[in-house]
Amino acid sequence: MSVDAAVVRFWEERRAEDPALPEDLPEVWAFGAIPEHADQLLELVLAGTKTGTASSLWDYEASGDPVPAVGDFSIILDGSGAPRAVLETTRIETVPFCDVTAEHARSEGEGDRTLADWRDTHERYWRRYSENERGFEPDMPVICERFSVRYP
């Protein structure tokens, strides 16, 4: 992936403020599949409402991107591709879609924050935007990730 100069500058500035951050540029990504998702979900993160996210393990396998791990850092982009936040992964659990917990659904901060709403929203998302040919299945492996905001 080609990294925008603004992202490199953003990471250099964060490291100057917090020298404990790793030297190597972390993964750079945006929430959701479209700019509107990225902006809406980023705002929930910045408000402190969203402290978790979920990803399809199948999508990681299809894309070849590294699977998140505890201690990883991420630069989060807004819908225009500008770097806005640094997250640190604090917990990872991979479970079948049907076993995602209400606690995790609440941590994602979306909709009415119930498990039923989470399931409905995420099934629709993976049916429409999945990066793998399998799309959605009720027992598909879901990476339930928790994170803390390191910046801002």
Side-chain angles (χ1 to χ4, degrees):
M1 169 182 155
S2 168
V3 178
D4 186 283
V7 171
V8 173
R9 200 167 41 256
F10 176 84
W11 187 243
E12 290 170 353
E13 291 168 0
R14 301 299 68 82
R15 289 198 67 246
E17 296 167 358
D18 184 355
L21 292 172
E23 186 174 332
D24 291 339
L25 192 71
E27 291 295 311
V28 179
W29 52 277
F31 286 101
I34 59 174
E36 291 79 14
H37 292 164
D39 288 338
Q40 292 166 356
L41 298 174
L42 175 62
E43 289 308 313
L44 291 173
V45 168
L46 297 177
T49 306
K50 183 174 182 60
T51 60
T53 193
S55 307
S56 164
L57 179 60
W58 293 344
D59 285 352
Y60 277 97
E61 292 169 350
S63 70
D65 290 335
V67 174
V70 171
D72 284 353
F73 292 92
S74 298
I75 296 173
I76 305 303
L77 306 174
D78 66 16
S80 72
R84 296 278 309 279
V86 175
L87 305 183
E88 181 177 4
T89 301
T90 58
R91 186 169 71 199
I92 293 283
E93 182 178 17
T94 302
V95 299
F97 177 88
C98 57
D99 291 342
V100 171
T101 66
E103 184 272 334
H104 183 79
R106 182 164 182 72
S107 79
E108 291 207 29
E110 302 167 43
D112 68 8
R113 300 181 77 181
T114 64
L115 181 57
D117 184 66
W118 183 93
R119 285 182 175 155
D120 180 58
T121 299
H122 285 75
E123 179 178 342
R124 276 187 283 117
Y125 177 87
W126 282 313
R127 286 188 186 283
R128 183 168 185 184
Y129 297 110
S130 188
E131 295 179 48
N132 74 82
E133 63 187 30
R134 291 179 278 188
F136 170 83
E137 293 293 334
D139 62 349
M140 65 186 272
V142 174
I143 302 168
C144 296
E145 180 177 356
R146 297 297 296 271
F147 54 79
S148 63
V149 177
R150 289 289 295 262
Y151 175 86

